[in-house]
Amino acid sequence: VKNRMPAAAKVGNVAICPVVVPKGPTGLDPQKTNFLQALNIPSKINKGQIDVQSEFVIVKQGDKVGSSEATLLAMLKIKPFFYGLVIQYVFENGNLMKPNVLDITPDDVVQKFVTGLRNVAGLSLHLHYASVAAFPHLVSNAYKNVLAIALATNYSYPRADKLKAA
């Protein structure tokens, strides 16, 4: 999931991964040591704050988060879970589609535009209808016709003379 948001542990959540209290300073007052000791988390007081002595798994994968664990994680500002949307289907104008229709890059848009432009130019040329898409091709084809006439006759201009000499 690309757009995931961190979420705090709530009582009753099932841990999809182990929830770890990292080693190091917690920023908690020394008065909260009994809270950590009740959860069997090795800690000590250092420079006026509580330090966790070693990394500690507070909730194992598959276990439910209890009220003490949720409270401690909130105090430590640890958000171990994530939430986000996973698109299952896309519904538009009565059509139900797979979500991969949304996986369009700017290059895909440019490619589709160029393909459409080529189709318009080809159709315009085939129908002998002048359009903005066909204009460069019309000028190029007209120049080729003028050049062919110059080569087949005695008519001359500088670019035609270069081709006659070659």
Side-chain angles (χ1 to χ4, degrees):
V1 179
K2 291 179 186 175
N3 298 318
R4 296 187 331 169
M5 299 297 294
K10 294 182 182 173
V11 178
N13 283 0
V14 176
I16 57 172
C17 61
V19 179
V20 177
V21 175
K23 177 183 177 180
T26 61
L28 296 177
D29 295 334
Q31 299 156 349
K32 308 274 187 192
T33 53
N34 57 354
F35 199 80
L36 291 164
Q37 288 171 351
L39 293 170
N40 297 322
I41 299 174
S43 61
K44 65 178 181 175
I45 298 173
N46 185 18
K47 297 181 183 176
Q49 67 177 348
I50 300 172
D51 281 359
V52 175
Q53 291 180 322
S54 63
E55 192 173 87
F56 185 80
V57 177
I58 192 168
V59 182
K60 294 181 179 133
Q61 183 174 349
D63 290 351
K64 286 187 177 183
V65 177
S67 62
S68 299
E69 291 90 353
T71 304
L72 177 64
L73 291 169
M75 285 192 307
L76 295 174
K77 297 179 182 145
I78 296 174
K79 294 183 176 182
F81 303 125
F82 293 92
Y83 68 91
L85 294 176
V86 177
I87 298 172
Q88 300 293 323
Y89 292 97
V90 176
F91 184 78
E92 182 181 26
N93 295 330
N95 296 320
L96 196 62
M97 299 168 277
K98 296 276 185 181
N100 62 355
V101 299
L102 301 175
D103 295 338
I104 299 171
T105 65
D107 292 338
D108 294 336
V109 173
V110 169
Q111 180 196 8
K112 294 289 185 186
F113 179 77
V114 169
T115 301
L117 195 59
R118 283 185 188 147
N119 290 341
V120 168
L123 183 63
S124 295
L125 289 172
H126 184 74
L127 296 174
H128 301 288
Y129 181 79
S131 70
V132 174
F135 185 74
H137 302 286
L138 291 171
V139 171
S140 175
N141 289 341
Y143 179 73
K144 288 177 191 176
N145 290 338
V146 169
L147 186 59
I149 291 170
L151 292 175
T153 63
N154 289 332
Y155 183 76
S156 171
Y157 63 94
R159 297 235 178 186
D161 291 339
K162 286 183 184 178
L163 282 175
K164 284 181 184 179

